[in-house]
Structures are given as C-alpha cells and as structure tokens.
Amino acid sequence: MDLSYSPEELAFRDEVRAWLAKNLPAGLKDKGHYSKEELLRWHRILAKQGWVAPAWPKEWGGTGWNVVQRYIFEEELGYAGGPPLIPFGLTMCAPVLLRFGTEAQKKRFLPRIYQGEDLWCQGYSEPGSGSDLASLKTRATLKDNQYLVNGQKIWTTLAHYADWIFCLVRTHPTGEKRQEGISFLLIDMNSPGITVRPLMLMDGAHEVNEVFFDDVQVPAQNLVHEEGKGWTVAKYLLGHERMNTGRIGESKRQLAKLKEFASSTIKNNARFRDRLSRLEIELIALEITNLRFLDRMRRTGQPPGADVSMLKIKGTEIQQGLTELALECTDPLAGDEKSLALQKKYLSMRKTTIYAGSNEIQRNIIAKMTLGL
Ligand SMILES: Cc1cc2nc3c(=O)[nH]c(=O)nc-3n(C[C@H](O)[C@H](O)[C@H](O)COP(=O)(O)OP(=O)(O)OC[C@H]3O[C@@H](n4cnc5c(N)ncnc54)[C@H](O)[C@@H]3O)c2cc1C
C-alpha cells in the first residue's frame, strides 16, 4: 500500500495551491454564509479555469484527473477557505444524468450546470420520510404526457435560490416492496403550483426550506431512468453525496485557525491541550483512511462502497469537535464579532451529523455491508 504522494502529485498540489492563492477573491474567504451571487461568482471562476467539475467525463468538461488528483484538489479547495461549491447540480444531479439520463437531458442540463446558469436543489426528504425515505408520499400521476405532482418536501437546502429541483416522487401505489413505484423527476422551480417556505436553522441562517407542490405540471420528458425505478437512481446519487462529507481540507484549516485563536488556552489548560491533540490525531487518522481508500480505488478502479459512511461519520464528528473547542475559548457574554461568529459556527455544525443521511444511519449501513448484519 502506498500512502504517500508521488513527486508529480506534489507538483500538482503546488500548482492548485498557487492558483487558489491567486484567484480566490479575499472577500469570499471564511464567510459562514454566502449569498447566491457569491456562490455563483466562485463557481464561475472555477468553471472558467475548467476546474468546476473535475469528475465529469472530459467531453462534458471534466479535467481527466485521476482519483488522487481529484482528492488533492478537493482538499486544497477546502483548505483555501472559499465558498462551498453547491453539490446538488455538480456532484449529484450531473452524475445521475451521466449514468441514467437521455442524450437530450444531458445536452439540456449539463452545460448549464457547468456554467453555473442553473442552480439545483435536492427534493428527497419529506415530513416523516427522512431516514425512512422509501415511505415518501409526494405523488406524480401521468396524464397527457405531463406528470401532475402533489405533496411536500422538507429541509430542502437552497430551494430559495434554486432554478431546478430533482425529486423522488411516488408514481405507483406502495406495493410489497416500498422502494418500488418511486420515480426520479426533474422539476422547474418556476412551475406554477410550487411554494417555497423558509425554515430557520438554530444559528439564525436561512439555508433550508419546505417546498410544496400543488398540481404542478411536469413534462414526461423530465423523468430520469424508467418510471417506478427511481430508487436505483436515488441510491446511486446518495453514494456520490457522501463522497465529500469528510471535508478534511476544511477541517485542517479550522484546526490551524483554532490553534491560533486558542493559543493562550492551549498554553494554560492541559485538559484543553489533550482534547485538541486527540482531535488532531483523529484528523490525521481520517486522512490516512481516506488515502487508503484512494490507493485501493487507484489500484482496482472500484468505488468505495460502504467505506464512504466511515468518512462521513468521522469527518462530521471532527468538524463538530473543532467548533466545540473553539466555543470553549469564547466568552458567551462578550458579544464581540469573533465570539459571535464562533458561536454561530458551533450551532451551524450541529446539522452535519444529520444531513446526507444521519450518522446513526451510516452506522447501520456499515454494519449491514461489512458485518453482514
Ligand atoms: C441542514 C440540513 C439540510 C438538509 N438538506 C436536505 C436537502 O437539501 N434535501 C433533502 O432531501 N433532505 C435534506 N435534509 C434532510 C436530511 O436528509 C434528513 O434530516 C435526515 O435524513 C434525517 O431524517 P429526518 O430529519 O426525517 O429524521 P428521522 O429519520 O426522523 O430521524 C430522527 C433520529 O432518529 C435516528 N434514526 C432514524 N432511523 C434510525 C434507524 N433505523 N436506526 C438508528 N437511528 C435511527 C436518526 O439518526 C435521527 O437521529 C437536510 C437536513 C438538514 C438538517
């Protein structure tokens, strides 16, 4: 097993790092929340460089980088501290279209996702159907080449910014297997009958929404894959969703900032020092685990499978742990800008162990896949 970078990979890392240092606008660094314009600005800078969708096939704008280069790039992006790339179009809908879409769907949607002309959101969860996704109730009935969609989605991240939503809908009544009869539909957010209502998160941010569908008409050509086979598409997409939840580069940046911010606590508080060291060791262990998966992918060409769940669990626990330590160094009553930002960050990171499939569900996946339970 080879866990070190080759001289070529190190040169590639330096090239990416230098480019980011030059091209990431200072005003976009380390902001907790970004406006739609800020998110799209960074997306378009990367698109212009040809780096916004490294994993796509080259004919659609991919870079042709191997898995290690893609990992290095993601880590450097996170470490640079810029706005996140919105994953719903780039790393969720696009891989689905590339795998299951028609040529017409690919031609229509992929270039617009690449250029940041369409922003997408993900319509999977419903009230009562989050972990138990197969119980979803939003219905779509086909009539005269149009689906009529009725129902509700919840926790829909950035629905208030989005131009399109990909949705799991029930096209056939629940049968013996609940996973059957679900379909994957692409829906224009400007369609009549769609209402978006904000849900405020506990850090005060408007990031997620409820989305209501009231007799929304969707052309039949917006169905992806076969009718009733949406669960296959959904599972394929979830694997992609969890690939980037480890966020090692971003955690390294947070760790470096915490060490700087907490320097006097580190000096005077042995217990704090202990916990910080433990977290740093866990981060190094996560990185090595990630490199191990990459080495295997590089050698076998096989996707990581249930291992992705391990990255999600440890990555999000580390992200939360870092904000917990940072919070301990702030005075809750100080009210200064820095303390408030850290308090908000702490609250904001509570969500990471819930979204993209809660960590309890990830543990179930690992148990099932690796222990055969
Ligand atoms: C900030 C944020 C953004 C989100 N963005 C989106 C989005 O853009 N699109 C979208 O579709 N969804 C989104 N979600 C929804 C997210 O996927 C769900 O919240 C998540 O799947 C959990 O579902 P739930 O909220 O219904 O909780 P439930 O499924 O009701 O779970 C409640 C608790 O029970 C635990 N639990 C449930 N079942 C089991 C089990 N079998 N074994 C052990 N423990 C279990 C869970 O881990 C959790 O702790 C987002 C959520 C958050 C918090």
PDB file of all heavy atoms in Angstrom, residues 88 121-132 154-158 201 207-208 241 351 353-361 364, ligand 1:
ATOM      1  N   PHE A  88     -25.552  20.094  -5.452  1.00  0.00           N
ATOM      2  CA  PHE A  88     -26.769  19.443  -5.978  1.00  0.00           C
ATOM      3  C   PHE A  88     -26.750  19.250  -7.499  1.00  0.00           C
ATOM      4  O   PHE A  88     -27.203  18.235  -7.999  1.00  0.00           O
ATOM      5  CB  PHE A  88     -28.016  20.217  -5.530  1.00  0.00           C
ATOM      6  CG  PHE A  88     -28.040  20.400  -4.045  1.00  0.00           C
ATOM      7  CD1 PHE A  88     -27.882  21.658  -3.465  1.00  0.00           C
ATOM      8  CD2 PHE A  88     -28.162  19.306  -3.215  1.00  0.00           C
ATOM      9  CE1 PHE A  88     -27.865  21.812  -2.089  1.00  0.00           C
ATOM     10  CE2 PHE A  88     -28.137  19.451  -1.828  1.00  0.00           C
ATOM     11  CZ  PHE A  88     -27.992  20.709  -1.271  1.00  0.00           C
ATOM     12  N   CYS A 121     -31.533  22.056  -6.449  1.00  0.00           N
ATOM     13  CA  CYS A 121     -31.677  21.601  -5.064  1.00  0.00           C
ATOM     14  C   CYS A 121     -32.206  20.167  -5.081  1.00  0.00           C
ATOM     15  O   CYS A 121     -32.577  19.645  -6.144  1.00  0.00           O
ATOM     16  CB  CYS A 121     -32.548  22.536  -4.247  1.00  0.00           C
ATOM     17  SG  CYS A 121     -34.239  22.695  -4.816  1.00  0.00           S
ATOM     18  N   GLN A 122     -32.193  19.561  -3.896  1.00  0.00           N
ATOM     19  CA  GLN A 122     -32.476  18.121  -3.783  1.00  0.00           C
ATOM     20  C   GLN A 122     -33.794  17.886  -3.041  1.00  0.00           C
ATOM     21  O   GLN A 122     -33.894  18.209  -1.853  1.00  0.00           O
ATOM     22  CB  GLN A 122     -31.336  17.448  -3.004  1.00  0.00           C
ATOM     23  CG  GLN A 122     -31.531  15.971  -2.744  1.00  0.00           C
ATOM     24  CD  GLN A 122     -30.449  15.397  -1.838  1.00  0.00           C
ATOM     25  OE1 GLN A 122     -29.853  16.126  -1.048  1.00  0.00           O
ATOM     26  NE2 GLN A 122     -30.195  14.115  -1.956  1.00  0.00           N
ATOM     27  N   GLY A 123     -34.775  17.318  -3.712  1.00  0.00           N
ATOM     28  CA  GLY A 123     -36.079  17.054  -3.091  1.00  0.00           C
ATOM     29  C   GLY A 123     -36.259  15.587  -2.761  1.00  0.00           C
ATOM     30  O   GLY A 123     -36.977  14.875  -3.459  1.00  0.00           O
ATOM     31  N   TYR A 124     -35.572  15.156  -1.709  1.00  0.00           N
ATOM     32  CA  TYR A 124     -35.743  13.771  -1.242  1.00  0.00           C
ATOM     33  C   TYR A 124     -36.634  13.746   0.014  1.00  0.00           C
ATOM     34  O   TYR A 124     -37.679  13.148   0.011  1.00  0.00           O
ATOM     35  CB  TYR A 124     -34.378  13.166  -0.877  1.00  0.00           C
ATOM     36  CG  TYR A 124     -33.618  12.512  -2.007  1.00  0.00           C
ATOM     37  CD1 TYR A 124     -33.831  12.869  -3.326  1.00  0.00           C
ATOM     38  CD2 TYR A 124     -32.658  11.529  -1.741  1.00  0.00           C
ATOM     39  CE1 TYR A 124     -33.116  12.268  -4.351  1.00  0.00           C
ATOM     40  CE2 TYR A 124     -31.949  10.913  -2.764  1.00  0.00           C
ATOM     41  CZ  TYR A 124     -32.175  11.288  -4.060  1.00  0.00           C
ATOM     42  OH  TYR A 124     -31.470  10.687  -5.067  1.00  0.00           O
ATOM     43  N   SER A 125     -36.164  14.411   1.111  1.00  0.00           N
ATOM     44  CA  SER A 125     -36.825  14.267   2.409  1.00  0.00           C
ATOM     45  C   SER A 125     -38.227  14.879   2.414  1.00  0.00           C
ATOM     46  O   SER A 125     -38.478  15.892   1.768  1.00  0.00           O
ATOM     47  CB  SER A 125     -36.000  14.958   3.496  1.00  0.00           C
ATOM     48  OG  SER A 125     -34.681  14.487   3.479  1.00  0.00           O
ATOM     49  N   GLU A 126     -39.100  14.239   3.199  1.00  0.00           N
ATOM     50  CA  GLU A 126     -40.454  14.753   3.433  1.00  0.00           C
ATOM     51  C   GLU A 126     -40.720  14.640   4.935  1.00  0.00           C
ATOM     52  O   GLU A 126     -40.015  13.895   5.625  1.00  0.00           O
ATOM     53  CB  GLU A 126     -41.472  13.889   2.678  1.00  0.00           C
ATOM     54  CG  GLU A 126     -41.288  13.954   1.178  1.00  0.00           C
ATOM     55  CD  GLU A 126     -42.333  13.129   0.416  1.00  0.00           C
ATOM     56  OE1 GLU A 126     -43.286  12.623   1.045  1.00  0.00           O
ATOM     57  OE2 GLU A 126     -42.176  13.021  -0.812  1.00  0.00           O
ATOM     58  N   PRO A 127     -41.746  15.346   5.426  1.00  0.00           N
ATOM     59  CA  PRO A 127     -42.066  15.178   6.847  1.00  0.00           C
ATOM     60  C   PRO A 127     -42.351  13.696   7.122  1.00  0.00           C
ATOM     61  O   PRO A 127     -43.187  13.097   6.440  1.00  0.00           O
ATOM     62  CB  PRO A 127     -43.336  16.029   7.029  1.00  0.00           C
ATOM     63  CG  PRO A 127     -43.294  17.022   5.905  1.00  0.00           C
ATOM     64  CD  PRO A 127     -42.625  16.330   4.761  1.00  0.00           C
ATOM     65  N   GLY A 128     -41.628  13.112   8.048  1.00  0.00           N
ATOM     66  CA  GLY A 128     -41.818  11.684   8.374  1.00  0.00           C
ATOM     67  C   GLY A 128     -41.071  10.742   7.443  1.00  0.00           C
ATOM     68  O   GLY A 128     -41.069   9.532   7.643  1.00  0.00           O
ATOM     69  N   SER A 129     -40.447  11.283   6.406  1.00  0.00           N
ATOM     70  CA  SER A 129     -39.695  10.420   5.474  1.00  0.00           C
ATOM     71  C   SER A 129     -38.309  11.012   5.236  1.00  0.00           C
ATOM     72  O   SER A 129     -38.061  11.683   4.229  1.00  0.00           O
ATOM     73  CB  SER A 129     -40.422  10.299   4.125  1.00  0.00           C
ATOM     74  OG  SER A 129     -41.727   9.847   4.309  1.00  0.00           O
ATOM     75  N   GLY A 130     -37.438  10.817   6.228  1.00  0.00           N
ATOM     76  CA  GLY A 130     -36.050  11.270   6.104  1.00  0.00           C
ATOM     77  C   GLY A 130     -35.163  10.039   6.035  1.00  0.00           C
ATOM     78  O   GLY A 130     -34.799   9.567   4.960  1.00  0.00           O
ATOM     79  N   SER A 131     -34.871   9.476   7.218  1.00  0.00           N
ATOM     80  CA  SER A 131     -34.117   8.215   7.244  1.00  0.00           C
ATOM     81  C   SER A 131     -34.929   7.132   6.534  1.00  0.00           C
ATOM     82  O   SER A 131     -34.385   6.309   5.801  1.00  0.00           O
ATOM     83  CB  SER A 131     -33.871   7.783   8.689  1.00  0.00           C
ATOM     84  OG  SER A 131     -33.245   8.807   9.399  1.00  0.00           O
ATOM     85  N   ASP A 132     -36.228   7.165   6.757  1.00  0.00           N
ATOM     86  CA  ASP A 132     -37.111   6.175   6.131  1.00  0.00           C
ATOM     87  C   ASP A 132     -37.634   6.744   4.810  1.00  0.00           C
ATOM     88  O   ASP A 132     -38.833   6.953   4.623  1.00  0.00           O
ATOM     89  CB  ASP A 132     -38.269   5.877   7.099  1.00  0.00           C
ATOM     90  CG  ASP A 132     -39.164   4.771   6.571  1.00  0.00           C
ATOM     91  OD1 ASP A 132     -38.715   4.022   5.690  1.00  0.00           O
ATOM     92  OD2 ASP A 132     -40.327   4.690   7.028  1.00  0.00           O
ATOM     93  N   ILE A 154     -39.197  18.639   2.497  1.00  0.00           N
ATOM     94  CA  ILE A 154     -38.746  19.440   3.656  1.00  0.00           C
ATOM     95  C   ILE A 154     -37.225  19.395   3.769  1.00  0.00           C
ATOM     96  O   ILE A 154     -36.595  18.472   3.224  1.00  0.00           O
ATOM     97  CB  ILE A 154     -39.426  18.933   4.965  1.00  0.00           C
ATOM     98  CG1 ILE A 154     -39.274  19.974   6.089  1.00  0.00           C
ATOM     99  CG2 ILE A 154     -38.885  17.586   5.392  1.00  0.00           C
ATOM    100  CD1 ILE A 154     -40.180  19.715   7.285  1.00  0.00           C
ATOM    101  N   TRP A 155     -36.677  20.380   4.463  1.00  0.00           N
ATOM    102  CA  TRP A 155     -35.222  20.538   4.657  1.00  0.00           C
ATOM    103  C   TRP A 155     -34.501  20.745   3.330  1.00  0.00           C
ATOM    104  O   TRP A 155     -33.343  20.355   3.187  1.00  0.00           O
ATOM    105  CB  TRP A 155     -34.598  19.321   5.374  1.00  0.00           C
ATOM    106  CG  TRP A 155     -35.257  18.935   6.636  1.00  0.00           C
ATOM    107  CD1 TRP A 155     -35.858  17.747   6.914  1.00  0.00           C
ATOM    108  CD2 TRP A 155     -35.401  19.734   7.811  1.00  0.00           C
ATOM    109  NE1 TRP A 155     -36.369  17.762   8.177  1.00  0.00           N
ATOM    110  CE2 TRP A 155     -36.110  18.968   8.753  1.00  0.00           C
ATOM    111  CE3 TRP A 155     -35.026  21.036   8.156  1.00  0.00           C
ATOM    112  CZ2 TRP A 155     -36.442  19.444  10.014  1.00  0.00           C
ATOM    113  CZ3 TRP A 155     -35.352  21.508   9.409  1.00  0.00           C
ATOM    114  CH2 TRP A 155     -36.044  20.721  10.315  1.00  0.00           C
ATOM    115  N   THR A 156     -35.190  21.333   2.365  1.00  0.00           N
ATOM    116  CA  THR A 156     -34.600  21.441   1.021  1.00  0.00           C
ATOM    117  C   THR A 156     -33.591  22.595   1.000  1.00  0.00           C
ATOM    118  O   THR A 156     -33.961  23.771   0.969  1.00  0.00           O
ATOM    119  CB  THR A 156     -35.705  21.663  -0.030  1.00  0.00           C
ATOM    120  OG1 THR A 156     -36.839  20.889   0.347  1.00  0.00           O
ATOM    121  CG2 THR A 156     -35.214  21.281  -1.406  1.00  0.00           C
ATOM    122  N   THR A 157     -32.321  22.230   1.025  1.00  0.00           N
ATOM    123  CA  THR A 157     -31.245  23.225   1.081  1.00  0.00           C
ATOM    124  C   THR A 157     -31.234  24.068  -0.192  1.00  0.00           C
ATOM    125  O   THR A 157     -31.272  23.526  -1.305  1.00  0.00           O
ATOM    126  CB  THR A 157     -29.878  22.517   1.247  1.00  0.00           C
ATOM    127  OG1 THR A 157     -29.938  21.718   2.431  1.00  0.00           O
ATOM    128  CG2 THR A 157     -28.739  23.522   1.382  1.00  0.00           C
ATOM    129  N   LEU A 158     -31.200  25.380   0.006  1.00  0.00           N
ATOM    130  CA  LEU A 158     -31.098  26.370  -1.084  1.00  0.00           C
ATOM    131  C   LEU A 158     -32.253  26.328  -2.085  1.00  0.00           C
ATOM    132  O   LEU A 158     -32.106  26.826  -3.202  1.00  0.00           O
ATOM    133  CB  LEU A 158     -29.758  26.250  -1.823  1.00  0.00           C
ATOM    134  CG  LEU A 158     -28.492  26.434  -0.978  1.00  0.00           C
ATOM    135  CD1 LEU A 158     -27.264  26.503  -1.884  1.00  0.00           C
ATOM    136  CD2 LEU A 158     -28.555  27.682  -0.101  1.00  0.00           C
ATOM    137  N   LEU A 201     -32.596  27.859  10.620  1.00  0.00           N
ATOM    138  CA  LEU A 201     -31.765  26.963  11.435  1.00  0.00           C
ATOM    139  C   LEU A 201     -31.405  27.657  12.749  1.00  0.00           C
ATOM    140  O   LEU A 201     -31.577  28.866  12.892  1.00  0.00           O
ATOM    141  CB  LEU A 201     -30.499  26.584  10.665  1.00  0.00           C
ATOM    142  CG  LEU A 201     -30.730  25.720   9.420  1.00  0.00           C
ATOM    143  CD1 LEU A 201     -29.407  25.417   8.731  1.00  0.00           C
ATOM    144  CD2 LEU A 201     -31.437  24.423   9.780  1.00  0.00           C
ATOM    145  N   GLU A 207     -31.240  28.617   5.253  1.00  0.00           N
ATOM    146  CA  GLU A 207     -30.491  27.720   4.381  1.00  0.00           C
ATOM    147  C   GLU A 207     -31.423  26.631   3.842  1.00  0.00           C
ATOM    148  O   GLU A 207     -31.300  26.203   2.711  1.00  0.00           O
ATOM    149  CB  GLU A 207     -29.385  27.078   5.231  1.00  0.00           C
ATOM    150  CG  GLU A 207     -28.239  26.471   4.498  1.00  0.00           C
ATOM    151  CD  GLU A 207     -27.212  25.938   5.505  1.00  0.00           C
ATOM    152  OE1 GLU A 207     -26.602  26.761   6.218  1.00  0.00           O
ATOM    153  OE2 GLU A 207     -27.048  24.714   5.601  1.00  0.00           O
ATOM    154  N   VAL A 208     -32.373  26.213   4.685  1.00  0.00           N
ATOM    155  CA  VAL A 208     -33.263  25.115   4.276  1.00  0.00           C
ATOM    156  C   VAL A 208     -34.706  25.610   4.199  1.00  0.00           C
ATOM    157  O   VAL A 208     -35.046  26.670   4.748  1.00  0.00           O
ATOM    158  CB  VAL A 208     -33.169  23.914   5.244  1.00  0.00           C
ATOM    159  CG1 VAL A 208     -31.795  23.297   5.211  1.00  0.00           C
ATOM    160  CG2 VAL A 208     -33.540  24.325   6.657  1.00  0.00           C
ATOM    161  N   GLU A 241     -23.280  11.693  -2.910  1.00  0.00           N
ATOM    162  CA  GLU A 241     -23.496  12.736  -1.903  1.00  0.00           C
ATOM    163  C   GLU A 241     -22.524  12.582  -0.741  1.00  0.00           C
ATOM    164  O   GLU A 241     -22.026  13.545  -0.197  1.00  0.00           O
ATOM    165  CB  GLU A 241     -24.946  12.663  -1.400  1.00  0.00           C
ATOM    166  CG  GLU A 241     -25.282  13.729  -0.364  1.00  0.00           C
ATOM    167  CD  GLU A 241     -26.744  13.704   0.080  1.00  0.00           C
ATOM    168  OE1 GLU A 241     -27.469  12.755  -0.262  1.00  0.00           O
ATOM    169  OE2 GLU A 241     -27.148  14.644   0.771  1.00  0.00           O
ATOM    170  N   LYS A 351     -25.748  20.403  12.353  1.00  0.00           N
ATOM    171  CA  LYS A 351     -26.514  19.761  11.270  1.00  0.00           C
ATOM    172  C   LYS A 351     -25.721  18.660  10.542  1.00  0.00           C
ATOM    173  O   LYS A 351     -26.300  17.783   9.923  1.00  0.00           O
ATOM    174  CB  LYS A 351     -26.940  20.817  10.246  1.00  0.00           C
ATOM    175  CG  LYS A 351     -25.765  21.416   9.472  1.00  0.00           C
ATOM    176  CD  LYS A 351     -26.154  22.659   8.718  1.00  0.00           C
ATOM    177  CE  LYS A 351     -24.911  23.276   8.078  1.00  0.00           C
ATOM    178  NZ  LYS A 351     -25.116  24.652   7.667  1.00  0.00           N
ATOM    179  N   THR A 353     -24.142  16.032  11.344  1.00  0.00           N
ATOM    180  CA  THR A 353     -24.334  14.607  11.649  1.00  0.00           C
ATOM    181  C   THR A 353     -25.751  14.145  11.282  1.00  0.00           C
ATOM    182  O   THR A 353     -26.093  12.978  11.473  1.00  0.00           O
ATOM    183  CB  THR A 353     -24.046  14.317  13.142  1.00  0.00           C
ATOM    184  OG1 THR A 353     -24.677  15.336  13.935  1.00  0.00           O
ATOM    185  CG2 THR A 353     -22.560  14.337  13.417  1.00  0.00           C
ATOM    186  N   ILE A 354     -26.575  15.102  10.799  1.00  0.00           N
ATOM    187  CA  ILE A 354     -27.947  14.732  10.400  1.00  0.00           C
ATOM    188  C   ILE A 354     -28.060  14.635   8.877  1.00  0.00           C
ATOM    189  O   ILE A 354     -28.605  13.672   8.347  1.00  0.00           O
ATOM    190  CB  ILE A 354     -28.966  15.778  10.916  1.00  0.00           C
ATOM    191  CG1 ILE A 354     -28.845  15.954  12.425  1.00  0.00           C
ATOM    192  CG2 ILE A 354     -30.382  15.381  10.523  1.00  0.00           C
ATOM    193  CD1 ILE A 354     -29.663  17.111  12.984  1.00  0.00           C
ATOM    194  N   TYR A 355     -27.539  15.674   8.161  1.00  0.00           N
ATOM    195  CA  TYR A 355     -27.799  15.669   6.717  1.00  0.00           C
ATOM    196  C   TYR A 355     -26.969  14.623   5.973  1.00  0.00           C
ATOM    197  O   TYR A 355     -26.085  14.007   6.565  1.00  0.00           O
ATOM    198  CB  TYR A 355     -27.657  17.068   6.107  1.00  0.00           C
ATOM    199  CG  TYR A 355     -26.281  17.714   6.100  1.00  0.00           C
ATOM    200  CD1 TYR A 355     -25.120  17.012   5.853  1.00  0.00           C
ATOM    201  CD2 TYR A 355     -26.175  19.084   6.319  1.00  0.00           C
ATOM    202  CE1 TYR A 355     -23.893  17.631   5.817  1.00  0.00           C
ATOM    203  CE2 TYR A 355     -24.945  19.725   6.293  1.00  0.00           C
ATOM    204  CZ  TYR A 355     -23.818  18.986   6.036  1.00  0.00           C
ATOM    205  OH  TYR A 355     -22.609  19.605   6.011  1.00  0.00           O
ATOM    206  N   ALA A 356     -27.323  14.452   4.704  1.00  0.00           N
ATOM    207  CA  ALA A 356     -26.701  13.407   3.858  1.00  0.00           C
ATOM    208  C   ALA A 356     -26.827  12.015   4.494  1.00  0.00           C
ATOM    209  O   ALA A 356     -25.952  11.166   4.353  1.00  0.00           O
ATOM    210  CB  ALA A 356     -25.223  13.747   3.573  1.00  0.00           C
ATOM    211  N   GLY A 357     -27.911  11.793   5.219  1.00  0.00           N
ATOM    212  CA  GLY A 357     -28.113  10.521   5.918  1.00  0.00           C
ATOM    213  C   GLY A 357     -27.464  10.620   7.290  1.00  0.00           C
ATOM    214  O   GLY A 357     -26.247  10.811   7.390  1.00  0.00           O
ATOM    215  N   SER A 358     -28.266  10.521   8.368  1.00  0.00           N
ATOM    216  CA  SER A 358     -27.724  10.767   9.711  1.00  0.00           C
ATOM    217  C   SER A 358     -26.608   9.762  10.029  1.00  0.00           C
ATOM    218  O   SER A 358     -26.521   8.692   9.410  1.00  0.00           O
ATOM    219  CB  SER A 358     -28.837  10.657  10.755  1.00  0.00           C
ATOM    220  OG  SER A 358     -29.163   9.297  10.945  1.00  0.00           O
ATOM    221  N   ASN A 359     -25.777  10.120  11.014  1.00  0.00           N
ATOM    222  CA  ASN A 359     -24.647   9.247  11.337  1.00  0.00           C
ATOM    223  C   ASN A 359     -25.105   7.891  11.887  1.00  0.00           C
ATOM    224  O   ASN A 359     -24.413   6.886  11.707  1.00  0.00           O
ATOM    225  CB  ASN A 359     -23.701   9.958  12.310  1.00  0.00           C
ATOM    226  CG  ASN A 359     -22.845  10.986  11.586  1.00  0.00           C
ATOM    227  OD1 ASN A 359     -23.170  11.393  10.460  1.00  0.00           O
ATOM    228  ND2 ASN A 359     -21.760  11.416  12.202  1.00  0.00           N
ATOM    229  N   GLU A 360     -26.277   7.884  12.536  1.00  0.00           N
ATOM    230  CA  GLU A 360     -26.797   6.585  13.006  1.00  0.00           C
ATOM    231  C   GLU A 360     -27.092   5.686  11.803  1.00  0.00           C
ATOM    232  O   GLU A 360     -26.780   4.487  11.805  1.00  0.00           O
ATOM    233  CB  GLU A 360     -28.092   6.777  13.834  1.00  0.00           C
ATOM    234  CG  GLU A 360     -27.887   7.433  15.192  1.00  0.00           C
ATOM    235  CD  GLU A 360     -27.711   8.943  15.105  1.00  0.00           C
ATOM    236  OE1 GLU A 360     -28.024   9.532  14.047  1.00  0.00           O
ATOM    237  OE2 GLU A 360     -27.263   9.550  16.099  1.00  0.00           O
ATOM    238  N   ILE A 361     -27.669   6.284  10.776  1.00  0.00           N
ATOM    239  CA  ILE A 361     -27.981   5.504   9.563  1.00  0.00           C
ATOM    240  C   ILE A 361     -26.680   5.038   8.896  1.00  0.00           C
ATOM    241  O   ILE A 361     -26.598   3.909   8.394  1.00  0.00           O
ATOM    242  CB  ILE A 361     -28.849   6.353   8.593  1.00  0.00           C
ATOM    243  CG1 ILE A 361     -30.207   6.653   9.225  1.00  0.00           C
ATOM    244  CG2 ILE A 361     -29.003   5.671   7.232  1.00  0.00           C
ATOM    245  CD1 ILE A 361     -31.053   5.442   9.574  1.00  0.00           C
ATOM    246  N   ASN A 364     -25.581   2.026  10.578  1.00  0.00           N
ATOM    247  CA  ASN A 364     -26.384   0.865  10.136  1.00  0.00           C
ATOM    248  C   ASN A 364     -25.854   0.336   8.806  1.00  0.00           C
ATOM    249  O   ASN A 364     -25.753  -0.875   8.602  1.00  0.00           O
ATOM    250  CB  ASN A 364     -27.859   1.268   9.947  1.00  0.00           C
ATOM    251  CG  ASN A 364     -28.568   1.460  11.273  1.00  0.00           C
ATOM    252  OD1 ASN A 364     -28.031   1.153  12.327  1.00  0.00           O
ATOM    253  ND2 ASN A 364     -29.784   1.980  11.221  1.00  0.00           N
TER     254      ASN A 364
HETATM  255  C1  LIG B   1     -29.246  21.299   7.442  1.00  0.00           C
HETATM  256  C2  LIG B   1     -29.943  20.196   6.719  1.00  0.00           C
HETATM  257  C3  LIG B   1     -30.004  20.211   5.348  1.00  0.00           C
HETATM  258  C4  LIG B   1     -30.699  19.219   4.664  1.00  0.00           C
HETATM  259  N1  LIG B   1     -30.790  19.308   3.292  1.00  0.00           N
HETATM  260  C5  LIG B   1     -31.568  18.423   2.623  1.00  0.00           C
HETATM  261  C6  LIG B   1     -31.788  18.586   1.216  1.00  0.00           C
HETATM  262  O1  LIG B   1     -31.283  19.506   0.584  1.00  0.00           O
HETATM  263  N2  LIG B   1     -32.620  17.707   0.602  1.00  0.00           N
HETATM  264  C7  LIG B   1     -33.206  16.668   1.254  1.00  0.00           C
HETATM  265  O2  LIG B   1     -33.915  15.891   0.627  1.00  0.00           O
HETATM  266  N3  LIG B   1     -33.009  16.483   2.598  1.00  0.00           N
HETATM  267  C8  LIG B   1     -32.221  17.348   3.286  1.00  0.00           C
HETATM  268  N4  LIG B   1     -32.026  17.204   4.651  1.00  0.00           N
HETATM  269  C9  LIG B   1     -32.769  16.164   5.349  1.00  0.00           C
HETATM  270  C10 LIG B   1     -31.909  15.046   5.900  1.00  0.00           C
HETATM  271  O3  LIG B   1     -31.507  14.166   4.897  1.00  0.00           O
HETATM  272  C11 LIG B   1     -32.764  14.350   6.980  1.00  0.00           C
HETATM  273  O4  LIG B   1     -32.963  15.278   8.021  1.00  0.00           O
HETATM  274  C12 LIG B   1     -32.100  13.110   7.502  1.00  0.00           C
HETATM  275  O5  LIG B   1     -32.105  12.112   6.536  1.00  0.00           O
HETATM  276  C13 LIG B   1     -32.830  12.588   8.774  1.00  0.00           C
HETATM  277  O6  LIG B   1     -34.188  12.447   8.521  1.00  0.00           O
HETATM  278  P1  LIG B   1     -35.297  13.081   9.488  1.00  0.00           P
HETATM  279  O7  LIG B   1     -34.978  14.525   9.681  1.00  0.00           O
HETATM  280  O8  LIG B   1     -36.635  12.738   8.935  1.00  0.00           O
HETATM  281  O9  LIG B   1     -35.089  12.384  10.897  1.00  0.00           O
HETATM  282  P2  LIG B   1     -35.570  10.929  11.297  1.00  0.00           P
HETATM  283  O10 LIG B   1     -35.359   9.999  10.160  1.00  0.00           O
HETATM  284  O11 LIG B   1     -36.924  11.036  11.884  1.00  0.00           O
HETATM  285  O12 LIG B   1     -34.523  10.565  12.417  1.00  0.00           O
HETATM  286  C14 LIG B   1     -34.610  11.083  13.755  1.00  0.00           C
HETATM  287  C15 LIG B   1     -33.486  10.464  14.566  1.00  0.00           C
HETATM  288  O13 LIG B   1     -33.653   9.037  14.636  1.00  0.00           O
HETATM  289  C16 LIG B   1     -32.484   8.384  14.142  1.00  0.00           C
HETATM  290  N5  LIG B   1     -32.890   7.193  13.385  1.00  0.00           N
HETATM  291  C17 LIG B   1     -33.850   7.131  12.424  1.00  0.00           C
HETATM  292  N6  LIG B   1     -33.927   5.873  11.934  1.00  0.00           N
HETATM  293  C18 LIG B   1     -32.988   5.134  12.568  1.00  0.00           C
HETATM  294  C19 LIG B   1     -32.555   3.784  12.480  1.00  0.00           C
HETATM  295  N7  LIG B   1     -33.095   2.935  11.632  1.00  0.00           N
HETATM  296  N8  LIG B   1     -31.517   3.373  13.285  1.00  0.00           N
HETATM  297  C20 LIG B   1     -30.934   4.237  14.154  1.00  0.00           C
HETATM  298  N9  LIG B   1     -31.309   5.536  14.290  1.00  0.00           N
HETATM  299  C21 LIG B   1     -32.312   5.978  13.502  1.00  0.00           C
HETATM  300  C22 LIG B   1     -31.797   9.391  13.236  1.00  0.00           C
HETATM  301  O14 LIG B   1     -30.413   9.142  13.159  1.00  0.00           O
HETATM  302  C23 LIG B   1     -32.098  10.693  13.957  1.00  0.00           C
HETATM  303  O15 LIG B   1     -31.180  10.900  14.995  1.00  0.00           O
HETATM  304  C24 LIG B   1     -31.315  18.169   5.365  1.00  0.00           C
HETATM  305  C25 LIG B   1     -31.222  18.133   6.758  1.00  0.00           C
HETATM  306  C26 LIG B   1     -30.562  19.132   7.432  1.00  0.00           C
HETATM  307  C27 LIG B   1     -30.511  19.082   8.929  1.00  0.00           C
END
